């Protein structure tokens, strides 16, 4: 699985909001773009998708901008990525036959492996919330393991 640029930008923007969750009032798209180094027009599109998914709320007009719709501890990384990129899967290959009879030389075994790998990826990303990532970014919690899993 690859995290798209759109997914990465969505996570960066929301992390910026989470790091400043105690500040009063909404944060403008321009401020988010300036703090994160993300292109403002693309960021606006991403924030609209996140708003549609109920992850952020917006306020129009002077002093307007975006705020998290829920506490950072309730927003999972997997939810953010799904909101902007669709379901977390390794591909759209279909479902394996349940009776073990495959139409094409064992492809069902591979389909089962791809489905399991997608489930493992979703479970891994479910383990991170905006709050836990903000704590890591502030140096208040250890970063995820950097060594490859064995």
């Amino acid at each position: 699985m690859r995290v798209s640029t759109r997914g990465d930008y969505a996570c960066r923007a929301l992390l910026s909001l989470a790091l400043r969750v105690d500040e009063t009032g909404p944060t403008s798209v321009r401020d988010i773009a300036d703090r994160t180094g993300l292109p403002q027009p693309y960021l606006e599109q991403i924030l609209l998708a996140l708003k549609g998914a109920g992850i952020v709320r917006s306020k129009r007009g002077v002093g307007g901008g975006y705020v998290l719709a829920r506490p950072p501890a309730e927003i999972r990384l997997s939810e953010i990525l799904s909101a902007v990129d669709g379901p977390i899967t390794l591909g759209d290959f279909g479902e394996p036959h349940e009776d073990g009879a495959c139409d094409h030389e064992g492809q069902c075994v591979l389909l089962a492996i791809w489905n399991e790998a997608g489930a493992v990826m979703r479970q891994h990303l479910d383990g991170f919330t905006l709050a836990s990532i903000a704590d890591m970014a502030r140096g208040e919690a250890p970063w995820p393991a950097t060594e490859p899993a064995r």
Side-chain angles (χ1 to χ4, degrees), residues 8-17 20 26-47 64-66:
D8 178 55
Y9 285 9
C11 293
R12 287 193 213 181
L14 293 179
L15 179 56
S16 178
L17 291 176
R20 289 167 180 77
T27 304
S28 72
V29 177
R30 175 182 222 144
D31 285 346
I32 297 168
D34 288 346
R35 290 195 293 237
T36 59
L38 302 177
Q40 186 173 335
Y42 194 34
L43 183 57
E44 289 170 351
Q45 294 173 17
I46 291 167
L47 287 166
Y66 287 89

Side-chain angles (χ1 to χ4, degrees), residues 33-34 36 38 41 50 52 64 68 74 78 97 115 117 120 122 129 134 139:
D34 288 346
T36 59
L38 302 177
L50 293 168
L68 296 175
E74 295 178 13
S78 58
H97 292 93
N115 286 338
V120 168
R122 281 188 301 280
T129 65

